[in-house]
Amino acid sequence: MKNTFIQYGLVFAALLSGQWVPAQYNYPETPEKAVMDDYFGTKITDNYRWLEDLKNPEVQAWFKAQSDFSHDVINKIPHREDLFKRMKQVQEMVGDTYGDAIQRGNLYFYKKTKKEEKLSKLYSRNMDSGKETLIFDPETYKKGTQLTNFTVDQKGQKAALLFSKAGGEICELRILDLTTKKLLDDVISPLWSEFNFEFTPDSQAIIYTKMSTADPDSDQLLKEMKAMLHQIGTPADKDHILASREQYPELGILTEQFPEVYLSDDYRYIFLGIGSVKSERPVFYAPLSAIHDKKIKWKQIVKPSDDITQVIIHGDKLFFLTHKGAPNYKIGVTDVLNPDFENAKIVVPESNDVITAIHSSKNYLFYSLSNGITQDKYQIDAGTLDIKKVPLPAGVNTSSPLNPHENDNLQCYNNNWLSPNTIYDYNPANGAVTKNKYFNTAKGYPDYEKLYDVKEIEIKSHDGTMVPLSIIHPKNIRMDGSTPAYITGYGGYGISYTPRFSNRLSVLLEQGVVIAIAHVRGGGEKGENWHKAGMKSTKPNTWKDFIACAEYLVAQKYTSPSKLIGNGVSMGGVLIGRAITERPDLFAVAIAEVGMTNALRSEITANGPNQIPEIGTLQNKEDVRYLIEMDAQSKVKKGVKYPAVIVRTGMNDSRIVPWEPAKFAAVLQNDSASGKPVLLYVNYENGHFTSDLDVVFREYADIYAFALWQAGHPKFQPVKN
């Protein structure tokens, strides 16, 4: 592939048969500076390549001007502040919210966001007395700091705290002495927000994965990472390398892959997973005693070709979750020292429902079985292999172990579309499920089930495939197309969009809006085949399924094109970007949030090489064909009447760099002939996401007000001068 520089300056496109008209909005000027790329014979012009230089003062000034312009427009929309206040009210009615708990002795440790606060803090609760204690407030560490994750050593004497700032995912790890409540001198950085870290059994060291740089603009940001061992009380630059591409070339780690080391529940082994966006990662193991060896002799037990997505060790048994020959997944067991996956005993065979995940406690395994809408929990006795259903209420049931090294206690979470998450306690020994008396605090919450109906249906897509569609609508809806509707989807990495309550979407419901969730291909609702049917060459199914679901809403008169709001987030940027470029007439509004809308340029970003297994690479001619088809930016044509669009980006985003959504907004501003507004919503306090609820609610109040304005909702129409 070659790159040809054509012109640096303004490029004035010819009018298309007199159809193109200037935009009605006086946007900040965005010059077209054309660069032509030759993708194996297909030439594509990119007029906005210059916006990729985020360190350029001209580019920085452009982002600021776009941000100011967007806020000037949005600030004129009435009742925007009411949306923000209502989200805060719903948060208070839902009550305090809790993260997964960790049990050490009779103490539970957990993150909690108080109903009147915006950030989570670390707490403990004595389960004998019920007394709760504030352990750590992240804002006492550094202003604007967020507690991203934590763990506690087995003795309950130390906590490892992972801190981030302003929605960024490049984090710092500190160690808290739980006796004195003081931070130790150890400072470990940089770490990515989602990587594993845990204490060794003796509490004297921490296992973690270290990034090569903390510079968010570096192309090395998510490359050349290393699994490390930090001895507490020693300088971080003396940390011991457990696995890396350079020091362990025999492991075949790619530049963009990340090695993660973790411990077996019985502390007999250390495991090494070589991570990427693919769930089928290679896994190696060694005895725990090898952790201090100058070079560990890792033994491989899982190859990517085994199609295994999770492994769990119990004694000498290796349990595994695989989709090999079973697209809805099955669970097998083999010998950990001499694994034989082809001849392994199948503990849970494949069924019509999908096994979505497994985890363990001291003596049991647990798995989730989903039909795409509801999800049940089952337990497996690791010794006898007996299986029993966990008696939880209907809905989407998930769970996490409280201390798998020492006991079988679980916390279980029950979710659905119209009520807040409910937390249950469960121990498989007695089989009793009890509602947790401390962690469920909803009070005065509306009974949405009396006000709204939920319909779970399947609709026919472009090729005859039946696609699940969830519709939540007011019980008194007038089926005449006059109701605004909001439809969202994802369709990537085999991730399922399962029912869960959102206090943001509940506020949209209260405005009389129909909410629809399209369970498009590329997700995992119907197993691995569903995932594969929406990646690389089959990626068009993702947005074509979305279009089909949107067409159904219109055909059945839930809404009409003049009132339909489409939404896509992150990988969902491909979905919404291509939906409006393929069917601009179908939507009144598009909300593209931190989205992959320039797939052809994604690979050059720090996070881009990680996406190759899902979307392909520019180095492969066949993959390039698919990437061209996914690329929404290059599909925008001058003179086409596109919907109103609001494009959200966070300036601290390292997953989808800010210039990618920005370029999509720029081309739409310059080329759309509809006269409808195209706004680039730039948030300098956010990244790909943030845990600061004030930032979240403010952002969505602005975005939803814009969407409701453009969908014709009477409450949100600005007063005409």
Side-chain angles (χ1 to χ4, degrees):
M1 187 190 82
K2 63 180 180 179
N3 177 280
T4 307
F5 183 63
I6 298 180
Q7 180 181 357
Y8 189 83
L10 279 171
V11 175
F12 296 96
L15 300 183
L16 300 177
S17 304
Q19 295 178 357
W20 182 81
V21 294
Q24 293 181 5
Y25 289 85
N26 188 24
Y27 302 114
E29 183 181 4
T30 310
E32 297 179 352
K33 305 175 183 181
V35 175
M36 180 179 285
D37 295 301
D38 188 332
Y39 295 101
F40 294 100
T42 300
K43 295 180 179 180
I44 294 177
T45 299
D46 184 347
N47 289 322
Y48 305 98
R49 186 70 52 83
W50 65 278
L51 289 174
E52 295 179 10
D53 185 3
L54 295 176
K55 293 184 177 180
N56 186 327
E58 180 187 1
V59 174
Q60 294 172 351
W62 180 87
F63 269 90
K64 182 64 167 60
Q66 288 283 345
S67 178
D68 291 345
F69 177 83
S70 296
H71 284 287
D72 285 345
V73 173
I74 290 170
N75 289 345
K76 295 180 176 67
I77 304 172
H79 297 290
R80 176 178 55 92
E81 189 67 19
D82 293 340
L83 293 178
F84 174 78
K85 290 178 179 177
R86 183 56 178 165
M87 290 178 194
K88 294 288 288 183
Q89 288 172 351
V90 174
Q91 176 197 359
E92 292 187 8
M93 289 186 294
V94 170
D96 301 339
T97 55
Y98 296 81
D100 292 347
I102 292 175
Q103 181 184 5
R104 298 293 183 261
N106 66 344
L107 292 178
Y108 280 23
F109 296 88
Y110 48 88
K111 289 198 304 177
K112 181 177 82 168
T113 306
K114 286 189 174 182
K115 61 183 181 181
E116 70 277 4
E117 295 181 348
K118 65 177 185 176
L119 290 173
S120 60
K121 302 171 184 177
L122 181 64
Y123 291 83
S124 70
R125 187 182 295 275
N126 186 306
M127 299 307 288
D128 294 332
S129 66
K131 181 182 178 182
E132 183 179 65
T133 303
L134 173 63
I135 300 296
F136 196 83
D137 179 350
E139 287 205 293
T140 63
Y141 175 50
K142 293 177 184 176
K143 185 172 177 58
T145 295
Q146 299 172 19
L147 178 60
T148 301
N149 202 355
F150 79 98
T151 191
V152 178
D153 73 328
Q154 281 298 309
K155 298 176 182 178
Q157 297 176 349
K158 301 184 185 79
L161 311 179
L162 195 65
F163 296 121
S164 63
K165 190 173 179 64
E169 294 182 83
I170 305 168
C171 300
E172 177 181 87
L173 185 69
R174 297 296 305 271
I175 300 169
L176 180 70
D177 186 313
L178 291 172
T179 303
T180 64
K181 302 292 196 326
K182 292 182 179 180
L183 293 170
L184 304 183
D185 292 336
D186 307 67
V187 180
I188 307 170
S189 69
L191 285 75
W192 188 248
S193 61
E194 293 185 345
F195 289 165
N196 179 64
F197 58 95
E198 60 181 304
F199 287 95
T200 52
D202 61 6
S203 305
Q204 298 304 305
I206 282 197
I207 297 166
Y208 70 101
T209 297
K210 186 174 184 177
M211 302 168 67
S212 61
T213 177
D215 180 2
D217 299 321
S218 171
D219 63 2
Q220 292 297 305
L221 181 66
L222 289 168
K223 299 175 182 175
E224 301 297 349
M225 292 170 277
K226 302 173 182 177
M228 308 290 290
L229 178 70
H230 172 74
Q231 202 70 30
I232 297 171
T234 65
D237 59 7
K238 303 296 184 184
D239 288 356
H240 177 47
I241 297 173
L242 302 177
S244 71
R245 187 184 69 85
E246 183 179 359
Q247 279 79 8
Y248 287 79
E250 67 276 12
L251 299 179
I253 303 173
L254 301 178
T255 300
E256 67 273 12
Q257 291 179 318
F258 51 91
E260 278 190 296
V261 170
Y262 51 98
L263 303 169
S264 64
D265 289 345
D266 59 9
Y267 286 141
R268 293 174 60 187
Y269 303 104
I270 49 174
F271 291 93
L272 166 66
I274 309 301
S276 69
V277 297
K278 286 179 67 67
S279 300
E280 304 83 358
R281 61 180 186 171
V283 178
F284 303 79
Y285 85 103
L288 176 63
S289 59
I291 199 168
H292 294 289
D293 290 354
K294 185 175 182 180
K295 186 167 183 179
I296 298 172
K297 295 179 180 178
W298 293 107
K299 178 181 178 182
Q300 188 165 15
I301 52 174
V302 176
K303 304 183 296 294
S305 59
D306 293 323
D307 289 339
I308 289 172
T309 57
Q310 287 182 266
V311 295
I312 289 174
I313 305 301
H314 265 280
D316 292 326
K317 295 177 181 176
L318 186 155
F319 292 88
F320 60 94
L321 177 64
T322 180
H323 58 77
K324 192 160 194 174
N328 285 356
Y329 290 84
K330 60 187 177 184
I331 298 173
V333 62
T334 185
D335 183 81
V336 67
L337 299 178
N338 296 290
D340 181 358
F341 300 117
E342 293 295 328
N343 299 297
K345 178 179 177 59
I346 302 304
V347 182
V348 183
E350 184 188 25
S351 69
N352 291 331
D353 292 337
V354 179
I355 304 173
T356 60
I358 59 175
H359 72 78
S360 61
S361 63
K362 185 177 182 180
N363 299 296
Y364 293 85
L365 266 75
F366 300 87
Y367 66 94
S368 301
L369 192 62
S370 172
N371 61 12
I373 301 302
T374 60
Q375 180 168 282
D376 294 322
K377 297 295 298 186
Y378 290 82
Q379 66 187 48
I380 304 171
D381 186 305
T384 65
L385 304 184
D386 290 340
I387 298 174
K388 177 183 175 182
K389 185 177 180 180
V390 179
L392 291 161
V396 175
N397 291 297
T398 57
S399 59
S400 64
L402 288 162
N403 190 342
H405 300 293
E406 293 189 356
N407 61 47
D408 294 312
N409 296 331
L410 297 190
Q411 273 199 341
C412 302
Y413 315 92
N414 179 263
N415 290 275
N416 61 58
W417 294 120
L418 294 176
S419 60
N421 173 47
T422 304
I423 300 176
Y424 294 88
D425 297 323
Y426 178 68
N427 187 295
N430 57 31
V433 170
T434 57
K435 189 174 179 180
N436 188 285
K437 63 181 179 180
Y438 297 115
F439 297 160
N440 296 291
T441 57
K443 187 175 182 181
Y445 178 78
D447 187 354
Y448 283 148
E449 293 185 0
K450 290 184 177 179
L451 302 172
Y452 305 100
D453 278 333
V454 177
K455 290 185 178 179
E456 303 289 2
I457 60 175
E458 290 194 340
I459 61 96
K460 187 177 292 186
S461 191
H462 68 103
D463 58 356
T465 299
M466 301 304 291
V467 177
L469 175 65
S470 303
I471 305 172
I472 310 164
H473 65 82
K475 286 183 180 289
N476 61 353
I477 185 174
R478 294 170 58 186
M479 300 292 285
D480 59 2
S482 64
T483 306
Y486 168 99
I487 182 170
T488 188
Y490 187 68
Y493 311 114
I495 295 173
S496 299
Y497 203 132
T498 53
R500 55 187 179 272
F501 175 76
S502 165
N503 52 13
R504 301 193 302 270
L505 290 180
S506 71
V507 172
L508 263 189
L509 273 176
E510 292 178 343
Q511 310 312 309
V513 177
V514 172
I515 304 294
I517 298 89
H519 304 280
V520 298
R521 280 173 279 186
E525 284 85 348
K526 293 189 176 184
E528 183 59 17
N529 284 349
W530 198 249
H531 173 212
K532 290 178 179 177
M535 59 184 290
K536 291 190 177 180
S537 64
T538 58
K539 191 62 182 172
N541 287 328
T542 297
W543 64 82
K544 291 180 185 293
D545 288 352
F546 188 72
I547 288 170
C549 290
E551 289 176 332
Y552 176 87
L553 295 177
V554 172
Q556 298 299 312
K557 297 190 181 301
Y558 284 98
T559 190
S560 57
S562 64
K563 297 185 177 298
L564 183 57
I565 303 162
N567 169 263
V569 183
S570 194
M571 177 60 83
V574 174
L575 172 147
I576 190 62
R578 289 298 284 113
I580 66 168
T581 49
E582 191 161 297
R583 286 295 308 279
D585 60 306
L586 187 55
F587 302 91
V589 193
I591 304 171
E593 302 185 51
V594 294
M596 184 184 288
T597 48
N598 192 190
L600 282 168
R601 295 292 290 168
S602 176
E603 192 172 339
I604 70 145
T605 69
N607 192 36
N610 293 326
Q611 312 307 312
I612 289 173
E614 185 75 15
I615 64 174
T617 174
L618 294 173
Q619 308 308 312
N620 182 288
K621 185 176 181 179
E622 282 299 303
D623 284 359
V624 166
R625 289 174 49 209
Y626 316 142
L627 286 163
I628 290 172
E629 190 64 21
M630 293 178 215
D631 189 79
Q633 179 184 319
S634 61
K635 300 300 182 296
V636 176
K637 305 300 180 187
K638 194 174 290 290
V640 173
K641 295 180 179 180
Y642 292 102
V645 180
I646 187 163
V647 179
R648 174 172 78 87
T649 189
M651 292 306 289
N652 300 314
D653 193 346
S654 298
R655 297 194 186 212
I656 301 291
V657 289
W659 56 253
E660 186 168 352
K663 290 169 67 180
F664 190 54
V667 67
L668 284 166
Q669 285 181 354
N670 280 348
D671 288 2
S672 178
S674 68
K676 295 182 178 181
V678 175
L679 301 185
L680 177 61
Y681 190 96
V682 183
N683 197 325
Y684 290 87
E685 298 180 86
N686 205 347
H688 204 63
F689 39 68
T690 179
S691 57
D692 187 324
L693 292 179
D694 278 0
V695 172
V696 172
F697 293 158
R698 177 66 62 193
E699 196 168 67
Y700 280 101
D702 289 349
I703 290 171
Y704 290 166
F706 172 86
L708 292 169
W709 163 38
Q710 288 298 305
H713 195 297
K715 280 178 56 179
F716 296 89
Q717 301 307 305
V719 177
K720 295 182 179 180
N721 295 326

